[in-house]
Amino acid sequence: MNTLIVDSGSTKSDWVLLFNNEIKEEFTLAGINPITQSKSSILSILDIAKQKLNTYPIEAIFFYGSGCKDVASLMMSEMLKYCFFNSEINVFSDLLAAARSSCDNNVGIVGILGTGSHSCLSDGHQITHERASLGYLLGDEGSGNYYGKELLKAFFYEELSSNLKSKFIECFPFISDNYLSSLYSSNKVSAELAQFFPFLIQNKNSVEIKKIIQKGINEFYNQRISCYKDYSNWPLHIIGSVGLQLKNEYIEFLSMHGFNNIFFYSKPIDGLIKYHQHYVRN
């Protein structure tokens, strides 16, 4: 049986085709988010995937993605069905992907720290408690999107040292008085903002950047993890490139708040492959 597993964030998507639990194809495409992207934009990405997989009859698709909840999940299902009309379609949130990929059939606290952020409790198969996610406009505390906002505010409000400001302009020469207009008109704002996060990592020893990073860690903890203090003896799984690159800072901070069993992962796809190879629940 050919089973297609997709894990998609707002920045990029990982695609893996399994045939009888063996990997037959794997590739990475642009990210898909049905809340922030147009239907035509998503269909163009799905068409590229279809062309790459054209030689394989795909019986089932398990699509895990940012923004895939409620009405947006139905929209994503319809678009997948349009492109892969002979396949069984299953659409789940990126949070469930994070849980299934990291918990390994056990209970755990799960946090996403990538382009966006989120958290939940899981039994290893399903989400057992989830606090509301406010998305890239009001939420995403501690994410790449969040840090991009904070860095841009510091830049435009003249809060960066002259040396750091010069470095920023050198790294991002497209920054100008007109940049905000293009940012607000972008259909992938969260991914656009997240592109500034590597600059924080490269300069994280500067006083201004340290303050921004600590503010993000505090907000992620206060809004997404502190509600699970009663479960601090459970393993805490943090998934995403932002969390991984701030691993030492998070371990130091979270250990002071009673969380000592912490694991970090770059992305869910490897764990998702193992999940679908070993468990039949969906």
Side-chain angles (χ1 to χ4, degrees):
M1 179 176 180
N2 285 320
T3 301
L4 180 62
I5 302 168
V6 187
D7 171 59
S8 181
S10 295
T11 304
K12 60 183 179 179
S13 56
D14 293 311
W15 302 66
V16 174
L17 181 67
L18 296 180
F19 174 70
N20 293 338
N21 280 346
E22 296 294 325
I23 297 175
K24 298 296 291 183
E25 292 284 343
E26 53 185 327
F27 51 88
T28 299
L29 297 176
I32 294 173
N33 187 322
I35 291 179
T36 61
Q37 288 172 258
S38 66
K39 183 176 180 180
S40 60
S41 173
I42 293 173
L43 288 174
S44 67
I45 297 170
L46 295 182
D47 188 57
I48 294 171
K50 184 178 180 180
Q51 291 178 38
K52 287 180 174 289
L53 298 164
N54 198 39
T55 58
Y56 301 97
I58 300 171
E59 283 87 356
I61 298 175
F62 292 86
F63 185 97
Y64 299 85
S66 297
C68 289
K69 194 172 182 180
D70 302 326
V71 175
S73 179
L74 295 175
M75 289 168 52
M76 195 67 232
S77 295
E78 290 173 1
M79 286 185 280
L80 284 164
K81 194 66 179 177
Y82 177 80
C83 293
F84 300 93
F85 49 85
N86 289 322
S87 305
E88 172 197 333
I89 306 296
N90 305 274
V91 176
F92 305 108
S93 69
D94 58 342
L95 188 59
L96 186 61
R100 287 181 171 180
S101 70
S102 62
C103 289
D104 195 24
N105 194 30
N106 295 300
V107 298
I109 306 168
V110 179
I112 293 177
L113 271 171
T115 300
S117 70
H118 207 350
S119 65
C120 71
L121 296 180
S122 176
D123 62 5
H125 296 283
Q126 303 294 342
I127 293 169
T128 56
H129 180 274
E130 174 185 357
R131 195 176 189 202
S133 171
L134 303 183
Y136 74 97
L137 285 176
L138 300 177
D140 276 355
E141 298 85 0
S143 67
N145 161 42
Y146 169 92
Y147 281 121
K149 289 179 191 174
E150 293 299 313
L151 184 56
L152 283 179
K153 286 193 289 185
F155 173 77
F156 285 110
Y157 286 155
E158 303 284 350
E159 294 173 351
L160 300 178
S161 67
S162 57
N163 180 50
L164 203 56
K165 183 176 180 179
S166 297
K167 283 185 180 179
F168 188 74
I169 294 172
E170 183 179 347
C171 288
F172 307 104
F174 54 84
I175 291 292
S176 68
D177 291 338
N178 296 323
Y179 175 68
L180 295 181
S181 296
S182 64
L183 175 65
Y184 278 101
S185 62
S186 171
N187 64 354
K188 297 187 73 173
V189 175
S190 56
E192 177 80 16
L193 288 167
Q195 71 176 312
F196 299 110
F197 176 71
F199 183 85
L200 273 81
I201 296 300
Q202 293 162 11
N203 297 278
K204 69 177 184 177
N205 291 325
S206 70
V207 175
E208 306 101 301
I209 300 301
K210 280 183 178 179
K211 287 180 179 178
I212 292 173
I213 289 174
Q214 194 57 52
K215 182 182 177 183
I217 292 173
N218 285 333
E219 292 202 17
F220 179 74
Y221 175 76
N222 290 335
Q223 300 301 330
R224 305 248 56 103
I225 301 298
S226 64
C227 56
Y228 299 131
K229 283 196 72 171
D230 291 345
Y231 301 88
S232 60
N233 60 314
W234 285 19
L236 170 56
H237 304 280
I238 295 179
I239 298 94
S241 59
V242 171
L244 192 62
Q245 291 180 80
L246 294 175
K247 177 179 178 179
N248 294 334
E249 288 83 355
Y250 267 101
I251 288 174
E252 180 181 358
F253 181 90
L254 290 169
S255 63
M256 291 190 297
H257 290 81
F259 295 87
N260 296 300
N261 198 12
I262 312 168
F263 303 90
F264 292 82
Y265 312 83
S266 171
K267 53 187 180 179
I269 193 64
D270 292 336
L272 276 178
I273 293 169
K274 292 177 182 177
Y275 181 88
H276 281 275
Q277 286 172 329
H278 293 95
Y279 304 108
V280 295
R281 301 185 198 178
N282 57 40

